Amino acid sequence: MNVQETRVACRDAFAELASLACIHDPYPFMRWLREHDPVHRAASGLFLLSRHADIDWALKATGDALRGPAPGELARYFPRAATSLSLNLLASTLAMKEPPTHTRLRRLISRDFTTRQIDNLRPSIARIVAARLDGMAPALERGEAVDLHWEFALALPMLVFAELFGMPQNDMFGLVAGIGAILEGLSPHASDPELAAADAASARMQAYFNDLIQCKRNDPRHDIVSMLVGAHDDDADTLSDAELISMLWGMLLGGFATTAATIDHAVLAMLAYPGQRHWLQGDAVGVKAFVEEVLRYEAPAMFSSIPRIAQRDVELGGVVIPKNADVRVLIAAGNRDPDAFSNPDRFDPARFYGTAPGVSVDGKMMLSFGHGIHFCLGAQLARVQLAESLPRIQARFPTLVLAEQPSREPSAFLRTFRALPVRLRAPRRG
Ligand code: HEM
């Protein structure tokens, strides 16, 4: 990336983030933005915040300063929602709701989607991890390269979602095949054919979840869908089928590629910083520190996808954000802000050793799961998958190395991969 040119003028940070240079390494540009244009106004009129303190403020801001679009305003932010199923589903997800609707939906899902419920999945997750590693072992031991992105990073969250939702694995395989098309279609720059492809995939997902809900209603099991459709003695309120479908759709869309990307980045960190692998060989506190640092170092959802609308003129760092402006936060830049994390470009799990989840020893919040009322619902699920995977990968394949440079997805929003080829280091002769 030519930081010099950027310094002269940055008309649109979103366009810059989509450039090949930023897909490869967005952090020099993010540093420039934080230092020179931290309250950036893009060509589209969107504002983008890149300092940790400003992002933290925006994520926690309540009603009078910033809030999501009111139901009547949705058409302004999603003009094609009237005719597009995907945009319609997106507009009805938990992430797009504001209190009091958000409070009600979050309460209903949190009744069953608890930390205990997720912790109960640990043995199943450990079993899936071991089976995937067993599956990779023969090819690796023959000296062949294996694509860890496909064979492990994507497979694990897919199989965990199947377990969580109480679905056959093959059915989940069919559903997640459509996620790429849906994510493409949800981009504000998607063409009509891309949106049509997204809608076809969303329609398949919607029909499947509709059948799944009826099936769980007739024959409940110990999965989250059965719990969410089930009656609660102490609570007459319940999720409607439409609310439940958009909840499941939103969980898959928000939780699948992000978790896979974090697994990829964690493995890359193990390979790039062998001196830090010891965190994965000791106790759970060390593993947690490594996981939190991976999340800080490489935020997979680089900026927030939720529109936050200024309710009045807001002054931030000497810049006036006008009433009704759409404000986004560049989470990945906040995580690398030296005012929050010392030596931010250094991968250093020690900064999260022995602390509360996501909080550094200096009391600063790692922003990758957001903050405030929209704090990621699946944070614990993602953390457990990482904590169950990384020490096992390290123990099973201690001589893992890159077989070739990984190839990245050309996405400005999601920092993820197309392939991550690995192999075992050849034993030294003699
Ligand atoms: C490493 C993996 C993940 C990352 C980095 C991530 C990131 C995020 C972020 C940044 C937000 C807040 C967005 C904002 O306020 O603008 C969010 C919200 C959300 N996430 Fe995640 N997520 C991950 C995994 C998951 C998983 C596994 C699930 C599914 C169970 C999930 C479901 C959700 C939902 C439903 C919300 C909306 C919550 C609300 O509005 O109350 N996420 N996530």
Side-chain angles (χ1 to χ4, degrees):
M1 197 207 53
N2 188 340
V3 180
Q4 196 61 40
E5 271 173 26
T6 310
R7 197 159 293 174
V8 177
C10 174
R11 284 194 54 243
D12 193 324
F14 293 96
E16 188 68 38
L17 287 168
S19 69
L20 275 182
C22 275
I23 300 296
H24 174 65
D25 179 6
Y27 298 108
F29 171 64
M30 289 187 193
R31 186 185 322 122
W32 182 89
L33 203 59
R34 231 179 12 244
E35 290 173 359
H36 299 277
D37 194 7
V39 184
H40 169 79
R41 188 179 194 281
S44 60
L46 258 63
F47 279 77
L48 187 65
L49 312 182
S50 50
R51 281 191 302 225
H52 186 280
D54 294 343
I55 296 172
D56 195 54
W57 168 81
L59 291 173
K60 291 191 293 194
T62 46
D64 69 316
L66 299 178
R67 56 174 287 143
E73 294 173 333
L74 277 170
R76 200 164 106 212
Y77 299 99
F78 303 105
R80 292 185 284 179
T83 50
S84 157
L85 174 64
S86 304
L87 288 170
N88 217 300
L89 282 167
L90 178 69
S92 58
T93 53
L94 184 62
M96 294 294 164
K97 300 290 183 199
E98 282 293 304
T101 308
H102 178 269
T103 319
R104 173 181 161 264
L105 292 176
R106 182 99 189 193
R107 185 182 65 81
L108 286 174
I109 178 111
S110 303
R111 256 179 349 190
D112 298 309
F113 200 74
T114 58
T115 304
R116 178 134 60 94
Q117 180 71 15
I118 302 305
D119 278 339
N120 287 344
L121 278 178
R122 266 183 200 272
S124 310
I125 294 175
R127 194 172 24 80
I128 296 169
V129 168
R132 294 312 299 181
L133 298 181
D134 283 349
M136 288 163 60
L140 285 172
E141 283 157 9
R142 282 195 303 270
E144 295 167 15
V146 168
D147 183 356
L148 188 130
H149 177 65
W150 281 100
E151 298 299 330
F152 190 85
L154 288 175
L156 176 65
M158 184 188 86
L159 296 171
V160 170
F161 269 121
E163 187 88 17
L164 185 73
F165 290 179
M167 282 170 54
Q169 293 181 354
N170 277 346
D171 291 5
M172 183 55 90
F173 190 76
L175 288 192
V176 301
I179 286 184
I182 300 176
L183 289 174
E184 292 275 319
L186 291 178
S187 149
H189 310 293
S191 63
D192 287 344
E194 281 170 335
L195 195 53
D199 287 347
S202 287
R204 280 193 296 277
M205 234 183 236
Q206 187 185 42
Y208 186 90
F209 285 145
N210 196 38
D211 289 350
L212 185 70
I213 289 169
Q214 306 320 322
C215 170
K216 300 294 175 184
R217 188 164 278 135
N218 297 333
D219 182 16
R221 302 287 169 100
H222 292 293
D223 53 73
I224 189 85
V225 181
S226 298
M227 288 181 190
L228 290 169
V229 296
H232 286 257
D233 294 341
D234 54 346
D235 196 343
D237 193 7
T238 166
L239 291 167
S240 70
D241 285 5
E243 286 169 339
L244 186 46
I245 288 172
S246 70
M247 190 76 79
L248 299 176
W249 183 90
M251 284 162 78
L252 262 193
L253 264 285
F256 173 66
T258 45
T259 304
T262 312
I263 295 170
D264 286 331
H265 281 124
V267 172
L268 277 179
M270 286 164 59
L271 304 187
Y273 310 108
Q276 305 285 7
R277 287 188 187 192
H278 65 93
W279 297 98
L280 300 173
Q281 290 158 345
D283 59 9
V285 186
V287 174
K288 177 228 137 210
F290 192 96
V291 167
E292 298 301 318
E293 179 65 345
V294 170
L295 284 158
R296 181 196 71 84
Y297 198 71
E298 291 280 14
M302 286 199 285
F303 55 86
S304 65
S305 52
I306 304 181
R308 287 178 166 84
I309 313 302
Q311 300 301 298
R312 52 176 167 77
D313 289 359
V314 177
E315 199 197 313
L316 212 54
V319 176
V320 176
I321 301 175
K323 183 174 175 182
N324 290 330
D326 181 345
V327 181
R328 305 297 175 103
V329 294
L330 192 52
I331 289 171
N335 278 348
R336 298 276 190 122
D337 186 340
D339 286 345
F341 302 101
S342 58
N343 280 328
D345 296 328
R346 186 178 136 81
F347 181 81
D348 181 10
R351 58 177 108 236
F352 290 107
Y353 189 75
T355 60
V359 181
S360 75
V361 288
D362 297 325
K364 296 293 183 187
M365 183 85 172
M366 172 284 288
L367 301 168
S368 299
F369 289 126
H371 208 177
I373 63 165
H374 292 293
F375 180 78
C376 178
L377 182 78
Q380 176 68 1
L381 182 60
R383 283 178 164 133
V384 169
Q385 292 182 68
L386 285 152
E388 292 298 324
S389 303
L390 305 184
R392 286 185 173 82
I393 296 174
Q394 162 66 20
R396 181 84 200 252
F397 303 125
T399 61
L400 204 68
V401 290
L402 276 181
E404 53 188 270
Q405 279 309 309
S407 59
R408 287 201 172 267
E409 277 293 343
S411 163
F413 167 65
L414 199 65
R415 187 152 169 76
T416 187
F417 295 88
R418 280 187 169 154
L420 179 49
V422 292
R423 62 174 175 78
L424 298 186
R425 197 186 310 120
R428 289 208 181 89
R429 292 181 189 281

